[in-house]
Amino acid sequence: MDSQSLYFSLELVAGSGDTLNVEQRAALQTSLVILQKNYKFQRVLLWGKVLGLKADYFIAQGRGEDEMKDRKNLYSLNCVDWFLLPPATGPLIDQVSSAAKGRFTGDPSHVYENREMRRRGEGDEEEEVTKVNEEIRLAVTVHHIREEVSVVPRGAFVKNPHGLVQINRSFGGLSHSEAGKLDSFLHFSEPKKLKKKSILETSQLNPAIDFLNVLSDDIPKGSWSLQFECGSKVCVLRSLLWLGLTFYHVPMTPQHGYIYIGDGAKNLDLAFML
């Protein structure tokens, strides 16, 4: 959610029971402005909070000219001092998936270790040790959540002729009827594989805004909870795959955003719970 509307946005997603206290909000209100100036971001968003055993990680996201490609993630333990997270590359993702287990500790320097016996030739076995620190694990977790459940309303972003994804300044918000449908919300990540549509459906699409995957195509079906709250004035989406991610949109206004407040664990049992 945008740092400029932080107080207002946090109240709209507080129905989940997870929010920030007054001290954290006050610190973020000033530190995010300084962060934007120091790193020369066009805008800064509060991405969320990953809960740890000893301390919690506050995540901010800075964006440049291209809203989709020019993104950098930073973390803080006190809402004041920010540190840049490394990009989640393929080898780092493999290391985290094999070594990191359990809850986050809250210590970025904590090292996870995994030992496996690998067979080398006939009868020869060699112990293979994989080590990864918690900072890398945090970067990979943020990457997975962003790729799988980041949400924007249809029309909020537009792709210009040069291929840059930017904020659609003419977006006035979804209507109340549109906000009640999953088809009106898109994944704000690189499209994996756009679902083939009929000629009739394609004729109603706009290439400038319909370049992302639709939430209604997610597998398994039913991985999103859509509700109207605050006297039916706010549309709230909650992910059942990554518990803790909450998205809001105020119909007929351009106000929207999402925040993740959770332990960084994916709900792998969702397919058996539906």
Side-chain angles (χ1 to χ4, degrees):
M1 53 182 60
D2 201 310
S3 59
Q4 296 182 353
S5 59
L6 191 60
Y7 274 83
F8 171 77
S9 302
L10 285 171
E11 294 300 325
L12 297 180
V13 299
S16 301
D18 296 319
T19 186
L20 305 180
N21 60 38
V22 177
E23 182 182 356
Q24 292 168 348
R25 295 186 191 192
L28 289 169
Q29 198 73 27
T30 54
S31 68
L32 292 180
V33 175
I34 299 173
L35 179 69
Q36 180 177 353
K37 181 180 179 181
N38 290 343
Y39 283 88
K40 295 181 173 58
F41 293 131
Q42 291 200 354
R43 66 188 188 116
V44 172
L45 291 79
L46 176 64
W47 186 88
K49 181 172 74 169
V50 179
L51 308 176
L53 297 175
K54 299 178 183 177
D56 301 331
Y57 296 102
F58 297 87
I59 311 297
Q61 187 177 89
R63 295 186 179 177
E65 186 178 6
D66 192 317
E67 288 278 333
M68 183 167 290
K69 295 180 180 178
D70 298 339
R71 293 190 283 191
K72 291 184 179 180
N73 298 317
L74 303 98
Y75 74 93
S76 173
L77 295 170
N78 56 7
C79 301
V80 176
D81 302 313
W82 295 93
F83 306 95
L84 199 62
L85 280 173
T89 60
L92 290 182
I93 294 174
D94 294 337
Q95 289 178 15
V96 170
S97 63
S98 62
K101 308 292 182 198
R103 291 280 303 274
F104 281 87
T105 63
D107 179 10
S109 61
H110 177 77
V111 177
Y112 297 91
E113 187 175 303
N114 182 52
R115 297 176 181 270
E116 288 186 4
M117 299 300 295
R118 296 293 178 92
R119 180 167 293 180
R120 307 288 184 184
E122 295 184 3
D124 295 333
E125 289 189 351
E126 182 178 324
E127 186 179 44
E128 185 175 293
V129 181
T130 304
K131 293 183 178 181
V132 62
N133 63 28
E134 190 158 281
E135 185 180 60
I136 301 297
R137 183 190 180 188
L138 182 64
V140 171
T141 301
V142 172
H143 169 79
H144 282 317
I145 297 175
R146 188 190 71 188
E147 289 293 311
E148 295 180 18
V149 291
S150 58
V151 187
V152 293
R154 179 178 180 266
F157 291 87
V158 62
K159 180 181 282 189
N160 67 16
H162 300 289
L164 297 178
V165 178
Q166 298 177 324
I167 297 175
N168 185 2
R169 302 297 177 184
S170 62
F171 176 67
L174 302 174
S175 65
H176 282 273
S177 59
E178 289 175 333
K181 303 174 183 177
L182 279 180
D183 292 335
S184 302
F185 300 97
L186 311 171
H187 285 284
F188 195 59
S189 56
E190 290 289 343
K192 302 295 186 296
K193 185 178 180 182
L194 293 174
K195 185 178 179 182
K196 292 185 178 180
K197 299 182 181 293
S198 64
I199 297 177
L200 182 61
E201 291 174 323
T202 306
S203 64
Q204 299 174 354
L205 300 179
N206 184 345
I209 60 176
D210 295 308
F211 58 93
L212 301 171
N213 291 117
V214 184
L215 260 61
S216 57
D217 293 339
D218 283 8
I219 298 174
K221 297 288 184 182
S223 59
W224 291 95
S225 168
L226 192 153
Q227 298 171 325
F228 281 91
E229 298 181 359
C230 302
S232 298
K233 294 181 180 178
V234 182
C235 172
V236 178
L237 272 167
R238 294 183 177 89
S239 173
L240 304 181
L241 185 63
W242 288 93
L243 298 173
L245 184 125
T246 307
F247 166 86
Y248 81 92
H249 173 56
V250 182
M252 306 306 294
T253 72
Q255 297 167 357
H256 67 88
Y258 70 87
I259 189 170
Y260 175 81
I261 302 179
D263 58 5
K266 188 175 183 179
N267 184 15
L268 299 175
D269 297 328
L270 177 62
F272 305 100
M273 299 167 66
L274 296 174

